[in-house]
Amino acid sequence: MTSPLEQKKIRITGPSMVTANRTWDGAVVYRTAKQGWSTELSDSAIVTTSDEARALLAEATADDVGAVGPYIAPVELKDGGKVKPGNLREHIRAKGVTIDLQVPA
Amino acid sequence: MPLVKQGRITTDLFVHVADGAELPGDGAVLVTAERFLADPEALLRRPGKLGVLWPNNRSLDDLVPHLDRLASVALVFPTFRDGRAYSQARLLRERYGYDGELRATGQILRDQFVFMTRAGFDAFEVKKDADADAFAQTMKRYSVFYQPTGDGRVTALNRRMQLRHSESAGQ
Amino acid sequence: MYAYDELDRTLINERVSEFRDQVKRRLSGELTEDEFKILRLQNGVYLQLHAYMFRVAIPYGTLSSKQLRRLAHVARRYDRGYGHFTTRQNIQFNWIKLAELPDALSDLAEVGIHAMQTSGNNMRNVTSDQWAGVAPGEIEDPRIWSELIRQHTTLHPEFSFLPRKFKIAITAAEHDRAAIKIHDIGLRLHKNGDGETGFEVLVGGGLGRTPFIAKTIKPFVPGRDILSYIEAILRVYNQYGRRDNIYKARIKILVHELGIEKFAKEVEEEWKAMGDVGLTLDHAAIEEVRSRFSYPAYEKLPHMPDELKQAAHDPLFERWRKNSVSAHKVQGYSIVTLSLKPVGGPPGDATAEQMDAVADLADKYSFGEIRVGHEQNLALPHVAKRDLPLLFKALDRLGLATPNVNLVTDIIACPGLDYCSLANARSIPIAQELTRRFANHDTADLIGRLHINISGCINACGHHHVGHIGILGVEKNGEEFYQITIGGRADENAQLGTLIGPAVPYAEVADVIEDIVEAYLALRDRPEELFVDTVKRLGVEPIRERVYATR
Ligand code: HEM
Ligand code: SF4
């Protein structure tokens, strides 16, 4: 089995993080700078170069027991250091579905 | 890599011999289909048991004429997603009447043991020790089978009809 | 209803305990995700955007009230209080925790429900007409055969690792409600010249990236031989189906590449070579399965009870009755479809409360039985006509009496980017917006039968190719865009839709669909001419002109 690192070329064009789903419950998690996982996007380690991204992904991928399917995804850095999801998919993963679920009274 | 045979971990008497590598003077060997087909007679004359490693994308037609002189046929699961060798196994056992060792090689986990046994395999080169250790346990996992195969296990449908029969006979 | 016996129950429990072991090994790290993935998929567990998704089989779309209550329990106890009925007679839970899954499976097993082979490259849940056994004019109840095939394909020792997933659907009625022509194997039950029951066998249908309508491989296979014939097809497929490219691995590609004649020849040879391998279904075997389907003790009831005559004065009731109530084979009874497509709601979702309430209504009015159809709606299959007015009131209170069955707002949609990790674009909000645009039921009635199908990517889970109007999410420079096709259909005249023009952005989809519908209203030659028939008569061009003239 080739590792995902050899499979795909990694090139990032802006600030990015590594995200995955936690193994035991599937929750969306972000790789932290302390080599752990957090459910808060604001805790994620932010990388800005492709080399850093590759290293962060490799380190995250090594934790196969903790989380499933890590990949690199874009973030937006707002003034004051706030981190926002960088695309619609990550927005939905962070904030939930865009549908109002109707639960009748 | 442990070998499970007749339900137990056993020493593998067969040596896998790569193409081009020299054959040991005696003892059981497993050779590739190519090597075998290049000169079957020479290999069969050699002292020591002979087994053939048959790829899962090759028709069985070239193998069938030699079956009764082979001590082992090893079929291949390059990944455990690739299920072609299940069909080959059933054909060898059920259609061509092969009754020597039928060995599963490649990516073998405990989760395939029941399927493989039902398809006719009786020897397993298991990837992980823990899975090999769990063989007997795993084989006890299922007691109900819906399909008839050459392994002779009674299907659910037949059990029901037998039950029905004995019920009505008892009345 | 099919009643599980001790053997069926034992098997399900054995499967649960095996899966429990697999989950344990995964959580302890003994299994890598790479190894576990295929094992979880064999049991209906996907990983979506937010969590694991868990797909549970509803074989041939039949549920007892007890089973539906248990599904409600799973939604409540292990998920977020709702479930999603899919186009293949399954229900999905979107927020299940892997660590709790074995318990959820045990709870379901107690009522004879499982998730075996609801995903993965194996033989999937065998689907059938949701009106099986109650539709007028059926050859016989196709569920007998569905159940025989379900058993035969469950944990099959040879075909659990096929090149790709494999779906079988069966119909026994003139009108195909099971979409058999877009399945890997489609079976149409019919009688031959000698009055013998058997199947027309179709093969190689499927949607996805390369859609194909299934072709007939054999016009008549006697019922007793159907298992061996299916076995022969699968053996040929298992050997020769492509494994080098997942987009070319479905049987449809093999059939296409070999040609149906060559493929049929291979199957025929294999079938002949098989000989007697214990798969022939003799009369006793078929009767054994038939005997475990129970049918209600129907009363002798009038065709037109007083209750119905009185209620006819209520226009809301009448609108619903005309839309959602269908003819039953027994006089005095009806089949009632429960729309899971409320205006503004996500298509196919039901809350735990709704499920419980439907279970209660089924007990009261439908001999405890519920059906699930591929259009993502439910049905109560045995409602006495005299009970229709009371049932209507109860359904209306639950939000399950939207009179839009088969109309423009009865939209089939996949989960799309709101849930699915493979999606390019959202599906559900598009469906919601369309139901708001066409919320006026008079307008919808005026438009008539019109199926809109939405998929969030080319995998086509929302069957967009065969929607009268099909909407497919694509991605352009990180934005959601949608390709629109018209003229597709999924029934006995199955047909793939034709692209109407360039893809449009998210915000414009509903406008374009409105324009398409308006063009149709202007172009149809009489009110009875359905949308698809107008498209068939005129082709795409006149509609394209009207819709894209101003764009
Ligand atoms: C959200 C998780 C889902 C995932 C990851 C998923 C994945 C897929 C994939 C990869 C395919 C294409 C397979 C192929 O062509 O070989 C497919 C097809 C299909 N899916 Fe899904 N699906 C999901 C949900 C659903 C839902 C909710 C439904 C029903 C509403 C559904 C119904 C179908 C159907 C009917 C097909 C068959 C189309 C065909 O014949 O090619 N899926 N799905
Ligand atoms: S069609 Fe695509 S987006 Fe929709 S559920 Fe299927 S895989 Fe997901």
Side-chain angles (χ1 to χ4, degrees), chain C residues 359-375:
Chain C
D360 292 347
L361 291 174
D363 281 339
K364 208 159 164 189
Y365 298 119
S366 182
F367 297 92
E369 192 174 325
I370 302 101
R371 300 291 180 87
V372 183
H374 90 267
E375 299 86 352

Side-chain angles (χ1 to χ4, degrees), chain C residues 46 48 53 55 84 92 165 413-427 454-464 472-473:
Chain C
Y46 283 82
Q48 298 203 102
M53 180 272 271
R55 187 182 285 159
H84 175 77
Q92 296 184 174
K165 59 180 164 182
C414 81
L417 189 56
D418 283 293
Y419 294 99
C420 177
S421 51
L422 305 176
N424 292 320
R426 285 173 290 169
S427 306
I454 313 175
S455 305
C457 81
I458 194 64
N459 285 320
C461 303
H463 292 181
H464 64 275
L472 163 65

Side-chain angles (χ1 to χ4, degrees), chain A residues 103-105, chain C residues 72 75-76 81-82 350-360 398:
Chain A
V103 181
Chain C
R76 211 177 271 122
Y82 66 98
T351 63
E353 290 69 31
Q354 285 175 324
M355 291 185 229
D356 276 339
V358 170
D360 292 347
L398 294 168

Side-chain angles (χ1 to χ4, degrees), chain C residues 154-229:
Chain C
T154 296
L155 300 181
H156 196 295
E158 183 177 349
F159 305 126
S160 289
F161 301 89
L162 293 168
R164 199 76 183 87
K165 59 180 164 182
F166 202 90
K167 304 175 176 179
I168 302 179
I170 308 183
T171 182
E174 202 121 304
H175 179 65
D176 173 14
R177 278 171 295 265
I180 65 166
K181 289 192 174 174
I182 55 170
H183 280 77
D184 297 284
I185 291 183
L187 298 174
R188 188 176 69 83
L189 201 59
H190 67 123
K191 284 198 197 308
N192 70 2
D194 302 334
E196 195 186 355
T197 306
F199 295 92
E200 178 187 359
V201 180
L202 294 92
V203 69
L207 300 174
R209 186 170 298 235
T210 335
F212 282 106
I213 301 294
K215 299 172 191 72
T216 300
I217 176 168
K218 211 168 169 62
F220 189 81
V221 175
R224 64 173 180 279
D225 294 327
I226 195 64
L227 292 185
S228 61
Y229 193 71

Side-chain angles (χ1 to χ4, degrees), chain B residues 108-128:
Chain B
I108 317 293
L109 297 183
R110 78 176 72 166
D111 310 279
Q112 298 134 298
F113 290 161
V114 175
F115 290 143
M116 287 177 170
T117 303
R118 297 222 61 212
F121 289 101
D122 58 1
F124 310 84
E125 292 182 8
V126 184
K127 213 169 115 186
K128 300 181 187 179

Side-chain angles (χ1 to χ4, degrees), chain B residues 68-143:
Chain B
D68 52 0
R69 293 160 73 197
L70 290 173
S72 177
V73 173
L75 299 176
V76 191
F77 295 84
T79 67
F80 61 51
R81 277 157 235 262
D82 185 342
R84 279 177 277 198
Y86 291 103
S87 287
Q88 291 178 317
R90 286 194 68 191
L91 290 175
L92 286 175
R93 288 281 193 231
E94 297 170 36
R95 187 166 300 165
Y96 303 117
Y98 173 67
D99 59 5
E101 174 186 281
L102 190 54
R103 176 184 286 227
T105 68
Q107 282 227 20
I108 317 293
L109 297 183
R110 78 176 72 166
D111 310 279
Q112 298 134 298
F113 290 161
V114 175
F115 290 143
M116 287 177 170
T117 303
R118 297 222 61 212
F121 289 101
D122 58 1
F124 310 84
E125 292 182 8
V126 184
K127 213 169 115 186
K128 300 181 187 179
D129 290 337
D131 287 341
D133 290 339
F135 187 87
Q137 206 55 32
T138 308
M139 286 309 297
K140 278 190 244 152
R141 184 142 257 147
Y142 285 98
S143 66

